[in-house]
Amino acid sequence: MTEQWQPAASIGNLKRRAQLINNIRSFFAERGVMEVETPSISRYPTLDLHLESFGVNIDSDLPPRYLITSPEYHMKRLIAAGSGSIYQICKSFRCDEVGAHHNPEFTILEWYRVGWNHLQLMEEIEGLMMQIMGTGKATRTSYREIFRSLLQLDPLEFEHKEFKTLCQKLGAKPPQDLLSESASKDECLNYLMGSYIEPQLGRDNPVFVCDFPASQASLSRIHKTDPRLSTRFEVYYKGIELGNGFYELTDAGVQEKRFRETNTLREQMGKARLHPDRSFLAALEQGMPDCAGVAMGLDRMLMLAMGQDKIERVMSFTWNGS
Amino acid sequence: MYDTNEFRKGLKVEIDGHPYIMVEHQFVKPGKGQAFTRVKLKSLLSGNVIDRTYRSGEKLEKADITETEMQFLYMADNVYNFMDNSSYEQYELQEDQIGDAWKWLQENMNVEVVLYKGNAVSVTVPNFVVLEVEFCEPGLKGDTATNTTKPATLVTGAEVQVPLFVNQNEKIKVDTRTGVYVERVK
């Protein structure tokens, strides 16, 4: 058998990719956002319920190191040190994520706007997508609104039996664990989002889904006026999630508490507890200015900009051919 | 056992004592939520398609399925008889297990018979077969147009739309996946 050596993407697509990335750099240069580089290998793993960092073993006598799942912790340390608004285009790594729109090693476009909130940042994301991908005007909706309008379910107030009834109505076959009374409500919502909402979002133009439930706040701050909601948002285009952003949480105490809660949930799922990133927490402790940030899947953006349906069409080599 | 990251089209798996072939699979990771893989599975017995969703790391049983090249011997009393070309062992398929394949089955033709736990459950005919036209209206001399057609009955009893120039007792090539006439074979 001959060894497969050819790239996954055509050379033409790679040329287009290079050109679009240049355009992105110009976009930020014109706006005075500084490009930065931060480590790919970190002393701490990402502490998230559903993200797994690759471990890197340098020497069995030394503590393990981890490939980043996003440059977030390091970039926030730069902001705490006074960098001002920054952006980065870098590789990120996530275990077990392989599919038409996933590759365990992928490229993130991540940026932070110091002194801005998430609403201002969404305007800029919309502008970037229009300029780089040629999209039209985006629409904005809320997490609650989209569930109510598309599935007639109130994500902030529902009983597990309503989820089961909805699944029956949809003819849905959710994973077994979600059928149990004790299933996590957030996972029920995640399942519905991934299966029945996301594919319908942004058919013509990008859609921002704002105000995710507080229980899914991740690293965003909670709404001042409604503690059931967070300032987390996601942006979708052509049925695909392209980015996730926050009006960033700056409170070290709250961040540490969220890490602890995540570890408790990880343990309940039979997953290993993880070390919180002490350097990141120390930076928040010292004080990080108010800012909004977003991470976008660059390969997916380029895939859609080039009218492709698999990210491998815009990546030189993929997981299975690396 | 197959792990979710081994899922691919064509995988033959067993669920609740029933064999299926995977026709579609999709990895879904909703935002910051837990990932799952959505699959479509086609029953190897009934042909029905079902949807299932699995968490990463869940495993599916491998189905005891083999495909063997066999010769179609004959049909009698709605039972189709096949013979394994290497072991000479004979297998039977009932009319409902044959499905649409009856249209293209001619004695001595080589086909793929699917065995589940040692029993024949279905048959796959070649993508293209050459069969004789048993009956059709006479051909129009000089009419080589292929866009106007007429019905023709093949020796197997199947009816196929053929161009007007095709005559009775001539052989034609048919695409069995679509049932469409391809060309006349001399």
Side-chain angles (χ1 to χ4, degrees):
Chain A
M1 205 181 93
T2 49
E3 186 67 21
Q4 282 290 314
W5 61 270
Q6 294 94 338
S10 67
I11 298 300
N13 280 358
L14 294 179
K15 279 186 183 160
R16 185 95 183 100
R17 179 182 177 112
Q19 189 182 25
L20 290 170
I21 290 176
N22 267 335
N23 297 349
I24 293 172
R25 289 206 156 92
S26 306
F27 179 92
F28 288 109
E30 281 161 20
R31 286 162 178 77
V33 181
M34 175 171 68
E35 179 166 12
V36 296
E37 287 179 279
T38 55
S40 298
I41 301 179
S42 173
R43 287 177 299 139
Y44 297 100
T46 297
L47 210 171
D48 187 283
L49 186 53
H50 299 305
L51 285 182
E52 298 305 322
S53 307
F54 283 95
V56 181
N57 287 312
I58 302 156
D59 182 327
S60 56
D61 294 335
L62 297 172
R65 294 202 172 217
Y66 304 91
L67 292 177
I68 57 162
T69 64
S70 87
E72 182 159 10
Y73 299 160
H74 292 111
M75 288 182 82
K76 286 182 175 173
R77 283 163 67 185
L78 288 178
I79 294 163
S83 67
S85 296
I86 49 176
Y87 83 96
Q88 176 161 211
I89 293 171
C90 68
K91 282 292 179 69
S92 294
F93 308 84
R94 297 177 182 182
C95 284
D96 300 325
E97 299 190 4
V98 190
H101 304 144
H102 292 82
N103 197 58
E105 175 178 352
F106 65 107
T107 306
I108 276 187
L109 163 63
E110 182 151 329
W111 80 96
Y112 293 86
R113 281 300 209 157
V114 173
W116 287 19
N117 63 24
H118 56 302
L119 303 172
Q120 292 166 294
L121 182 63
M122 281 191 265
E123 296 278 332
E124 187 163 66
I125 298 167
E126 183 177 356
L128 176 94
M129 290 177 72
M130 287 168 94
Q131 199 168 316
I132 305 298
M133 305 171 63
T135 58
K137 282 261 349 110
T139 53
R140 285 161 177 72
T141 182
S142 73
Y143 192 87
R144 193 177 196 189
E145 186 48 46
I146 205 79
F147 269 85
R148 279 173 160 176
S149 63
L150 295 181
L151 299 178
Q152 289 77 51
L153 184 84
D154 184 346
L156 301 179
E157 285 167 37
F158 72 98
E159 298 292 326
H160 186 262
K161 61 171 186 278
E162 288 177 66
F163 169 74
K164 278 176 99 165
T165 312
L166 179 60
C167 283
Q168 268 166 13
K169 208 175 88 191
L170 294 167
K173 292 277 185 283
Q176 282 299 319
D177 56 285
L178 296 184
L179 296 174
S180 141
E181 285 286 330
S182 60
S184 143
K185 282 196 174 173
D186 284 319
E187 288 316 328
C188 293
L189 294 174
N190 281 327
Y191 167 72
L192 294 171
M193 188 76 177
S195 304
Y196 296 96
I197 296 181
E198 182 174 337
Q200 300 190 54
L201 293 178
R203 283 218 180 103
D204 303 316
N205 290 306
V207 174
F208 286 93
V209 178
C210 315
D211 304 338
F212 270 59
S215 53
Q216 297 180 33
S218 196
L219 279 75
S220 70
R221 55 178 85 186
I222 303 301
H223 264 275
K224 277 207 180 91
T225 47
D226 189 344
R228 295 175 304 168
L229 304 176
S230 75
T231 55
R232 175 181 160 203
F233 68 87
E234 290 198 337
V235 55
Y236 300 85
Y237 183 46
K238 299 215 181 288
I240 296 168
E241 182 219 333
L242 289 183
N244 179 88
F246 310 133
Y247 186 21
E248 303 290 348
L249 177 67
T250 53
D251 187 318
V254 174
Q255 183 61 66
E256 198 169 3
K257 184 167 161 266
R258 287 204 195 153
F259 278 161
R260 272 202 307 275
E261 288 165 355
T262 302
N263 260 332
T264 306
L265 290 173
R266 283 184 63 93
E267 215 164 28
Q268 284 168 7
M269 286 185 74
K271 292 183 172 190
R273 291 180 75 90
L274 298 169
H275 274 289
D277 188 326
R278 289 279 149 216
S279 304
F280 166 53
L281 289 171
L284 291 184
E285 186 73 43
Q286 184 262 196
M288 181 173 83
D290 285 342
C291 61
V294 64
M296 298 193 70
L298 186 64
D299 308 294
R300 291 186 192 170
M301 288 172 69
L302 299 177
M303 168 186 88
L304 293 180
M306 293 186 221
Q308 302 291 329
D309 61 354
K310 291 186 179 117
I311 52 170
E312 64 182 43
R313 299 273 176 257
V314 302
M315 299 177 92
S316 60
F317 298 100
T318 58
W319 185 247
N320 293 320
S322 62
Chain B
M1 299 284 261
Y2 294 112
D3 192 273
T4 45
N5 60 27
E6 294 173 284
F7 283 7
R8 61 189 147 76
K9 237 187 205 172
L11 209 63
K12 296 178 185 83
V13 297
E14 183 162 319
I15 300 165
D16 304 328
H18 202 97
Y20 293 91
I21 183 163
M22 198 170 284
V23 288
E24 227 179 276
H25 67 104
Q26 194 189 5
F27 175 79
V28 184
K29 171 93 168 65
K32 300 206 172 280
Q34 194 178 1
F36 53 87
T37 300
R38 201 167 37 214
V39 298
K40 276 194 193 302
L41 300 156
K42 187 174 158 190
S43 164
L44 286 167
L45 302 183
S46 68
N48 289 344
V49 176
I50 61 166
D51 294 305
R52 286 289 182 276
T53 311
Y54 298 100
R55 290 293 189 202
S56 299
E58 275 192 81
K59 290 178 176 64
L60 285 181
E61 202 87 46
K62 199 172 165 172
D64 180 8
I65 288 280
T66 48
E67 269 175 287
T68 313
E69 191 178 78
M70 296 196 195
Q71 203 182 109
F72 172 54
L73 298 178
Y74 60 91
M75 189 270 278
D77 301 329
N78 295 331
V79 177
Y80 291 72
N81 291 270
F82 299 85
M83 181 181 70
D84 185 329
N85 286 342
S86 46
S87 70
Y88 305 114
E89 211 168 315
Q90 291 196 22
Y91 293 86
E92 288 182 351
L93 278 174
Q94 306 300 317
E95 200 174 14
D96 58 329
Q97 296 175 304
I98 290 286
D100 277 347
W102 67 267
K103 291 181 180 173
W104 324 114
L105 278 175
Q106 200 174 19
E107 285 172 16
N108 304 327
M109 181 186 274
N110 279 333
V111 293
E112 292 286 333
V113 173
V114 177
L115 299 179
Y116 173 54
K117 293 183 174 165
N119 297 315
V121 291
S122 68
V123 61
T124 316
V125 292
N127 290 343
F128 297 99
V129 293
V130 173
L131 293 167
E132 195 180 312
V133 175
E134 195 171 72
F135 172 79
C136 69
E137 295 299 333
L140 293 170
K141 258 217 172 79
D143 192 341
T144 52
T146 47
N147 53 354
T148 32
T149 60
K150 61 181 178 185
T153 309
L154 307 180
V155 284
T156 57
E159 195 171 276
V160 173
Q161 288 295 320
V162 299
L164 298 182
F165 58 77
V166 171
N167 285 305
Q168 211 158 295
N169 303 326
E170 284 182 328
K171 285 184 175 170
I172 62 164
K173 189 180 190 179
V174 184
D175 187 332
T176 60
R177 294 162 296 185
T178 54
V180 171
Y181 164 92
V182 180
E183 61 184 7
R184 184 161 56 171
V185 179
K186 298 260 173 169

